[in-house]
Amino acid sequence: MATEKKLFAAPTIAADNAAGGGGSICVWVHDEDWDPNDTNPELYYSYTPDPGGGWSAPAKVFVVDNLRYETDPKVVYTSANTALLVWTQNEMTRQQAEAPNAKYHEAMKSQELYYSKWTYNPATGTGVWTPAARITNDIAPNLYGDGLVALGSDGTSGKAIAVWVRETTQNPISWPNPRDW
């Protein structure tokens, strides 16, 4: 039986329409583990500095594997050559989430939102991601599942807004306070 790497859904793409920009960036979740019985989802990206040019080779957003599930990435440009990436990350380790006694609702309540900014340097032709930072930080006993983020930006001001779904035990879908950068 042939073993293939698994590609997760949820690619997201953004175009840099600001003066001095012009490129595009794509982010997706990729399972880099060859074992069909194991899952290792990581955030990958590729960019093109020129709408008519080629794309960079796919690369990990973060070089170090944090042994967590990253899902549902969203990306927008906030200004020329600067993009904002927001994703859902489960705070359970993969071993906890995949354990035989793991409960779905516990995994969902362990979801948090994170972000990172990417800056492209036209002089060097390279981009750099900032370290991952939390947007949400629900602590026990009030664990809420955060996810399915949507992002918006005018692409020039350096600001963005994020809205997302928060699952609570009292109300399965509620409207949290939007996050503004």
Side-chain angles (χ1 to χ4, degrees):
M1 176 166 98
T3 304
E4 297 179 15
K5 288 188 176 187
K6 299 173 281 267
L7 177 65
F8 283 61
T12 180
I13 191 166
D16 186 353
N17 296 318
S24 295
I25 188 168
C26 181
V27 180
W28 66 94
V29 180
H30 187 84
D31 184 357
E32 60 184 21
D33 191 334
W34 286 94
D35 183 352
N37 299 316
D38 191 19
T39 308
N40 188 22
E42 294 292 332
L43 295 171
Y44 272 71
Y45 76 103
S46 180
Y47 66 93
T48 179
D50 178 1
W55 287 81
S56 67
K60 286 172 126 180
V61 171
F62 303 109
V63 177
V64 177
D65 184 354
N66 64 6
L67 301 176
R68 302 287 195 265
Y69 285 108
E70 295 95 5
T71 59
D72 305 319
K74 298 292 184 273
V75 66
V76 295
Y77 274 91
T78 58
S79 61
N81 300 313
T82 303
L84 172 70
L85 169 64
V86 177
W87 68 94
T88 304
Q89 181 169 299
N90 196 298
E91 295 304 302
M92 297 175 90
T93 65
R94 286 198 289 266
Q95 291 76 18
Q96 290 171 321
E98 294 173 356
N101 62 346
K103 295 184 174 41
Y104 179 77
H105 71 281
E106 292 298 326
M108 293 299 98
K109 287 181 3 181
S110 298
Q111 290 188 166
E112 300 290 349
L113 295 178
Y114 282 77
Y115 77 94
S116 178
K117 289 186 177 182
W118 181 76
T119 303
Y120 176 74
N121 183 335
T124 63
T126 60
V128 176
W129 291 98
T130 62
R134 276 185 185 217
I135 296 173
T136 59
N137 191 10
D138 306 320
I139 53 177
N142 298 316
L143 296 175
Y144 301 116
D146 297 302
L148 298 175
V149 69
L151 291 176
S153 175
D154 66 4
T156 61
S157 65
K159 296 186 181 223
I161 188 166
V163 293
W164 61 91
V165 174
R166 170 172 279 178
E167 183 175 343
T168 66
T169 55
Q170 294 82 22
N171 184 2
I173 299 177
S174 62
W175 183 266
N177 293 327
R179 172 75 184 248
D180 189 1
W181 280 270

